[in-house]
Amino acid sequence: MAMTMASTATGVLAFSSVPKNSDPPPSSSSKVCRSSIVAVSCVSHCVCSATSGSTSTVTEQANSQKFSYSRASPSVRWPNLKLNENYPPSQRPTHVVEDVGLFENTHDSVGKEEIREIGEAGLELGDEPLEILGKTSKNRVKKMTKLALKRAKDWRERVQFLTNRILGLKSEEFVADVLDDRKVQMTPTDFCFVVKWVGQSSWQRSLEVYEWLNLRHWYSPNARMLATILSVLGKANQEALAVEIFARAEPAAGNTVQVYNAMMGVYARTGRFGKVQELLDLMRSRGCEPDLVSFNTLINARLKSGALVPNLGIELLNEVRRSGIQPDIITYNTLISACSRESNLEEAVKVYDDMVAHRCQPDLWTYNAMISVYGRCGISREAGRLFKELESKGFLPDAVTYNSLLYAFAREGNVEKVRDICEDMAKMGFGKDEMTYNTIIHMYGKQGQHDRVLQLYNDMKMSDRSPDAVTYTVLIDSLGKANMMKEAAEVMSEMLNAGVKPTLRTFSALICGYAKAGKRVEAEKTFNCMLRAGIKPDHLAYSVMLDILLRFSDSEKAMKLYQEMVLNSFKPDHALYEVMLRVIKKENREEDIHRVVKDMEELCSMNAQVICSILVKGECFDHAANMLRLAISQGYELDRENLLSILGSYGSSGRLSEARELLDFLREHSSGSHQLIKESLIIMLCKADQLDDAIREYSEARDFGFFCGSFTMYESLLQRCEENELFAEASQIFSDMRFYGVEPSNNLYQGMVRTYSKMGFPETAHYLIEQAEEKGLLFDDASIYTSVIEAYGRLKLWQKAESLVGSLRQKSKMVDRKVWNALIHAYAASGCYERARAIFNTIMRDGPSPTVDSINGLMQALIVDGRLDELYVVIQELQDMGFKISKSSIMLMLDAFARAGNIFEVKKIYNGMKAAGYFPTMHLYRIMIGLLAKGKRVRDVEAMVSEMEAAGFKPDLSIWNSMLKLYTGIGDFKKTAQVYQLIQGAGLKPDEDTYNTLILMYCRDRRPEEGLSLMHEMRRVGLEPKLDTYKSLISAFGKLLLLEQAEELFEGLLSKKCKLDRSFYHLMMKMYRNSGNHSKAEKLLGAMKEAGVEPTIATMHLLMVSYGGSGQPEEAEKVLDNLKVEGLSLSTLPYSSVIDAYLKNGDYNIAIQKLMEMKKDGLEPDHRIWTCFVRAASLSQHTSEAIVLLKALQHTGFCLPIRLLTEKSDSLVSEVDNCLEKLGPLEDNAAFNFVNALEDLLWAFELRATASWVFQLAVKWSIYRHDVFRVAEKDWGADFRKMSAGAALVGLTLWLDHMQDASLQGYPLSPKSVVLITGTAEYNMVSLNITIKAFLWEMGSPFLPCKTRTGLLVAKAHSLRMWLKDSSFCLDLELKDSPSLPESNSMQLMEGCFIRRGLVPAFKDITERLGDVRPKKFARLALLPDEKRDKVIRADIEGGEEKLEKMKKKVGVKRRKLVRRKLIRGVVLPRPVELYQKKKS
């Protein structure tokens, strides 16, 4: 190959070596030396310390290392050829141009590749033989004589001898001293080589030699010497000296093509194409024809002067051909190398194709350049193909070839291929050189393998390869990107210690690293160090420093640096302007904003639209709006993004009026943008949270015409609709979007899937998922799928949820855990435990592992399916599998049992939870207290409240409301009022539940007036009572016969147009019935029909009952006849109303007649008719009347009551048992009413043993509660509410019998009180409270009415025990049947009291004359004969009057009464209240 490569080669990553400054010339008397030598001073460079970041000044030494590419030697480039090592520096052919080297900047923050050349240009023309690269011409040697061969050897020795002496001079010595010595005889050609060889080491000494030779005139001036010194000065970048020497050269020597070519090479080195062109024209004007070297130099200068333009290479080649010269391999290689520098593959291929077309054979340089350009463009496959091609054509790859190929694969990160190339290099005798290491280090640095980078760096140093500036820069850059700034600083320190001068790129890499790490101080110090080192910042350095200052909001320094940057002709890019504007806008530096805008206009020549865009991104929206107006006025198109951003700013800041002004301006001045303006207005309203206005504008635009909005508009509307839960509007907008062909994005698809799922349309959501997947959109967010599955679960469509999960399993190996849990919960919503368990087992086997949510889903499935008992089994199984049951799972179980009302299980779970270390929460206390309150467990509720307060929790309103409902439900109205006082004392604001419960309490306590005033207060605070509250008030007023108030409430509801159901009308009819206003009842029936509420049989029944209660059975019968006339399908209910009316009126025969008519009408008597006749029989005065009534039933086919009264058969028990079993499931409390009537009958006619076993059968079939009396549980009390009088007396006697047994064992223990609950309600006009009191008072029991609550009888345990043991009334409590039926009824109904007939006179006498008396006193008086009882009562009355008179005479009686009242009031506070007041005190 006919050329050498003196420094670097194509395709290799390298920095140019720093020019080495020789020592300054010594001062001497020689005029030549003083006039011709130029002194070069050393520059003091400031570098950064490796560890602390501080800067230090280091003076560059004269012997600092200089990078040299050793592979330029042929013996090294081709070690396999065994070339001689004794060749002098190889000479180029006659038309050699500069060697071309490439540098690719690896600093990623620059964003572009910077290409730099390193080379040399020279022209050696002489008589000496030329050596072709690595191979001596054998033909030439054969033509030379022995003397010529001796001379050839001697001239090398002479030149080398003189060169060594000159270069060995000290700084104070002169060249003249060596040349004047004349120890060697030199020819003019020899001196040319001396100038060249000396110039390779020191251009100053070379120039001194040239000037001395000219001064001495030791040889005739010739073109060769002039061309040689110009070449030396060109290589040393001493253009001014070269121009001076060329200008004063003699015409004879200077007017030659070689000299012109040398001078053109000086200009070409710096890319001064214009100067080269001038010299070429000067040559032609002087009659000197340019040769191929001239054109090659011209081409080289043009390529260096600027970037390649399309077809430039072909145009330059054509220009050469137009001059009559054919381009050679050097021409083509120069062009291809330039294309490689700029990674311009297209131009390189054109030049290469032209080369082949003109039959110019590629050489190794050509292949190297083409491999390099393919590598730079990322086409490693083509680079590899060319590598194989050059080998097939007989070329031997050199180190440049391998490094170019290595770079091609390293650029794409192909580590294996890079490793293979390195192995091939080693096989061919090439070791890794500096460029090889740099390339590989760069590759690993980009991959982030920083340990590997540092290892290669250490291997490089151990392999005697000297890291150059490229090496260090790449290392610093890689470490900086990995935020390893300590290591990067250490590399900088090593670079300085090695004598390698940091370049601009090195400093920039370090500054970028500090900037990325946020180390502002260190970045500033490094930047200042670079300035002190004399290195001028480039665009990158300025940009990075400006960026970090802005990031730290140091606007003062940033603006100063910006001004300096602009003064140095560097312009920030758009992104930097955006950051700068954003920072100074935050600090409200309006002057700086105006200055920056002015610079963008004047210095950067930006138009108004571009400036507007930058201002928008810099968040200077007011300035952007003004610039937008200017841009529109200048005729620019309206930019969508700019407008949307400006309007978005106005919308978010609430400046809607300014936004509308801008839009009005745009409508006037921007024709054809009306749709964009409308869309922008809608988007702005969305961002301003004016969704209603946005939807209205959208609807108007859509209705106006064919309006097709942009994606951004639809996205804004849909996102806002989803956020505000306007799902119907979102669905409509999405449909419009699809209709107009606007494709939704991935995010919009996800949003609409969520929307349709929340709307309850999971099928639509599922369809959208499938549609998105068909378009290649995949949802990475598992919550999208879970929302659809959960929606399916809520609709009980678990099959479709199952299919969705199945499709997910087909698409991915691992389904997200949330999806599995959602499917489990979907099964749970339908109670499909087995399916949920199957999914649980699947994820246990295949993963991911189940979570607490999975376990809760299993439990929820059992709960929904009503299989609460299996919860414990599942819990045990999970614990055996190693799962720890969480608090949420326990809470789920507790809540399930609480909703089921299972207090026992709830308390068991609660205690177990506390034992496991889970502390109760406020929510848990709410559940517990609410459940216990519903179960009327007063003591448990109060204990739970005390526990809650001890744990540091304060009862909230919901807990107080539960307690209000509890005390109201059990009739403890005093405590209800106290709880309300506690609510007010705690500063809590009563809610609807509070007011409704309190009103209900007043209604039950027969104080509806206070309830009504509380309702008015409730309305004043903005709360509306429930309809049930109105119903309670109306019912309470009705019971007190306060008709005006009840009617006022009822009319108020009608005036409000409340939709009242039949129960309200029935309630009013009952009130009118009880008050005897039957006409109003009839009018109410008409009003009911007018209100659209059709009367039912039950309504007519109430009307008939009303007539019956008023003693007008005939009117009731008329209603029945009307029903018959209307042809309605009647049940026994209306007949029972008429029959019951006649029975209550004592018209037994007519009642029996109506019974027969009913049977004739085809209706068989049922439980209603039975109950009517049995109840009437129980109240009849004589046994014969009762038997007549019961026989009437017997004639209709129901003989059980008459048999119970007249027979003693054992089969009656089973018959009654079967009867109750059949009546149990029937509606209207059929079994309950029948048993109550039967118990009254049996008790009245002294069949009390029979009544006892009938009572027990009723308990068996849950007709009566199992806990009527709770002696076995040692609760001792009894509850007789809702029983008939006879049933209550049976139950009371049984309870006394059990209590007598307990008293013999010492129970109940003192000081416990025993409570009997009688209630205050009446059943069939019988007061249970009065009946039981009369029974117990007759027996002289210790029971007394409760002072705090009505409907309760209380006895102290000790007194009760003594009475049960000692009282004669308790000697025989066994219930027995009378041997024969009495002639008359043993019981009598008197003023609501079902009392023993024989006790009636005494009861009337005692109560009328003495009022309420204690039981023992009542018993004593009742047993006395009438005359004696009269005397005792009169004496008692007189004694009371005397005692009263004595008390009036005493002083301070009134005061003592007041004190006593206060004491009484102080002892009635309940336990929670006491605790609360103690805490307050």
Side-chain angles (χ1 to χ4, degrees), residues 870-882 885:
E870 297 182 34
L871 288 173
Y872 293 107
V873 178
V874 174
I875 291 294
Q876 186 61 48
E877 291 177 358
L878 293 172
Q879 288 177 333
D880 294 340
M881 295 166 66
I885 305 304

Side-chain angles (χ1 to χ4, degrees), residues 13 106 406 410 418 422 432-461 465-468 470-479 491:
L13 188 67
T106 59
L406 186 76
V418 168
C422 291
K432 295 177 183 176
D433 61 7
E434 290 81 354
M435 295 177 187
T436 311
Y437 276 110
N438 290 345
T439 304
I440 301 175
I441 288 172
H442 189 204
M443 176 186 70
Y444 283 119
K446 282 187 174 181
Q447 295 177 352
Q449 301 186 37
H450 309 294
D451 294 339
R452 183 66 176 153
V453 167
L454 293 174
Q455 180 184 347
L456 283 169
Y457 171 63
N458 294 328
D459 292 347
M460 182 179 185
K461 292 189 292 185
R465 298 297 181 188
S466 300
D468 60 356
V470 175
T471 312
Y472 290 114
T473 302
V474 171
L475 276 171
I476 292 171
D477 181 56
S478 300
L479 295 171
V491 172

Side-chain angles (χ1 to χ4, degrees), residues 1434-1453:
R1434 281 202 307 269
D1436 187 83
I1437 294 172
E1438 292 173 357
E1441 292 176 352
E1442 292 176 1
K1443 187 176 181 181
L1444 183 61
E1445 290 295 330
K1446 290 179 182 179
M1447 290 180 66
K1448 287 181 180 179
K1449 295 178 182 179
K1450 292 183 180 180
V1451 181
V1453 172

